[in-house]
Amino acid sequence: MRGLKETDISKAIISTYHDKLLGRIVNDVLIVGAGPSGMTAAFCLAQKGLKVTLLEKRLSPGGGIWGGGMGMSQVVVQDDVLPLLDEIGVVPQAWRNGLHTVDAIELAAGLCLKVVQSGAALFNLLTVEDVCVHRERVAGVVVNRSMIGESLPVDPVTFSAKAVIDGTGHEAAVVGTLRRRGLLASAAGAEQPCEGPMDAMSGETFVVENVAEVFPGLWVAGMSVCATFGGPRMGPIFGGMLLSGKRVAELVAATLTESRERAPAIQK
Ligand code: 48F
C-alpha cells in the first residue's frame, strides 16, 4: 500500500476518539459498568431516543458473562428472556424445565454490538471513581483512565447526566462512593453493603423487583441491586440481569419524560 504513514494512523485514532469523547461529556443517562445489566439498560434507553453513555473500566465489556460458570463459557437463562435474546440477536439452546443455555461469548459480543448499533456510546478503560453531587442530586460521574488513577497522582475528568445507573455488579462501586460518606443513610436498607448467600430463585426475582433510584439521580441495576439492598446472589443464571437492565431503562426513561413534561410548568 502506497502512502501509508504511521502518523496518519495516530492522527486518525486521536482525532476520532477525542471527537467521540467530547460528544459524550453531557448525557441524558450515564451507565457505569458494561456487564449484562448495564449493556441491556444502555440499548433499551438508546432505543427510546436518549443520549446514553456506558463507561467500563476493563479492556473488554461483558462483565461476568465471559466466564459462564466456573470458566465454562455457557450461561443459563429462563424462558421469559427469550424475546430479549431474540432482540439482541443471539440464539439460545433449549435445555429443560424452562431453562436455556447461551454461548457466553456470543451473548457478550451480541450485547456489545447491540449497544453500539443502538446509538449508545461505549467506552472501555475508563474507571468511575466518584460522583458529582449538585443540590443533593447525583449530576454526573468522575472518571479516570483505568490504572492511571490507581497508580499515579492524576486528576480525573467529569461527565454529566440527568440520571446515572450503577451497573458495576457485586461491588456496587457508585453506590459505595455515597455510602462511604454516609450520604445514603436516607435510602431504606442502603446503608450496609451485604449481598446475601446463593439463592438462585429468590435472587433472580429480587434483582428485577428492587431496581430503584437509591439517591436522587442514582439508580441501581443488576447485581448492584443485591449488593445495595442485601439480596441473594444467584450464580451463572443471567435472565435476571437482562431483565433488571430492561426494567431500569423503563423506569429511568419514564422519570426523565415526567421531569421534561413538568419543566415548563415549573418555569412559568
Ligand atoms: O459484574 P457484572 O457482569 O455486573 P452485572 O451486570 O451482572 C452480574 C453477572 O455478571 C454475574 C452474576 C449473574 O448471576 O452474578 O456476576 O450486575 O459487570 C459489571 C461491570 O462493571 C465494571 C466491571 O468491570 C464489569 O464489567 N465496573 C466495575 N466497577 C467499575 C466498572 C467502575 N468503577 N467504573 C467502570 N466500570
Side-chain angles (χ1 to χ4, degrees):
M1 190 175 174
R2 281 197 199 152
L4 183 63
K5 287 167 72 182
E6 292 86 355
T7 48
D8 272 344
I9 299 170
S10 304
K11 284 177 187 170
I13 291 170
I14 293 167
S15 68
T16 54
Y17 182 84
H18 285 99
D19 282 351
K20 185 168 119 177
L21 194 64
L22 256 183
R24 294 290 170 160
I25 301 296
V26 178
N27 301 277
D28 290 321
V29 186
L30 277 167
I31 302 172
V32 187
S37 63
M39 288 207 281
T40 304
F43 81 74
C44 291
L45 282 160
Q47 283 172 341
K48 294 175 194 292
L50 292 162
K51 186 175 175 188
V52 183
T53 299
L54 187 44
L55 304 172
E56 166 55 47
K57 73 174 179 182
R58 292 193 196 140
L59 182 57
S60 309
I65 298 174
W66 297 103
M70 214 178 76
M72 295 176 278
S73 55
Q74 290 287 111
V75 295
V76 177
V77 294
Q78 310 84 315
D79 269 343
D80 43 2
V81 291
L82 294 184
L84 204 45
L85 292 180
D86 192 43
E87 208 187 330
I88 297 163
V90 300
V91 183
Q93 205 182 329
W95 199 65
R96 64 169 91 114
N97 296 335
L99 296 179
H100 305 257
T101 58
V102 186
D103 184 303
I105 291 158
E106 185 183 352
L107 180 58
L111 275 168
C112 288
L113 194 60
K114 186 78 187 170
V115 167
V116 173
Q117 291 185 341
S118 70
L122 169 51
F123 292 95
N124 62 348
L125 293 172
L126 295 184
T127 297
V128 170
E129 52 179 50
D130 208 345
V131 287
C132 302
V133 176
H134 297 163
R135 286 182 230 99
E136 294 177 26
R137 181 177 179 85
V138 168
V141 297
V142 177
V143 181
N144 218 326
R145 289 255 180 242
S146 298
M147 291 163 297
I148 292 183
E150 292 150 31
S151 52
L152 295 167
V154 174
D155 266 327
V157 298
T158 51
F159 290 62
S160 77
K162 295 169 190 154
V164 173
I165 299 172
D166 184 339
T168 63
H170 300 271
E171 51 186 302
V174 188
V175 166
T177 65
L178 294 177
R179 193 181 258 151
R180 277 194 294 282
R181 298 178 169 110
L183 291 173
L184 266 184
S186 60
E191 294 92 337
Q192 299 298 326
C194 50
E195 187 182 294
M198 178 103 58
D199 178 347
M201 187 143 164
S202 310
E204 283 292 277
T205 310
F206 191 97
V207 81
V208 182
E209 286 184 352
N210 291 283
V211 163
E213 188 177 26
V214 291
F215 187 87
L218 177 62
W219 296 74
V220 283
M223 278 315 288
S224 289
V225 172
C226 296
T228 300
F229 294 114
R233 60 187 301 205
M234 70 295 287
I237 178 147
F238 280 72
M241 295 303 133
L242 304 178
L243 293 175
S244 184
K246 186 169 187 277
R247 182 159 154 80
V248 79
E250 285 160 3
L251 296 177
V252 167
T255 306
L256 294 186
T257 308
E258 213 177 279
S259 53
R260 211 174 26 236
E261 282 165 2
R262 264 204 330 261
I266 292 165
Q267 278 162 17
K268 272 181 204 162

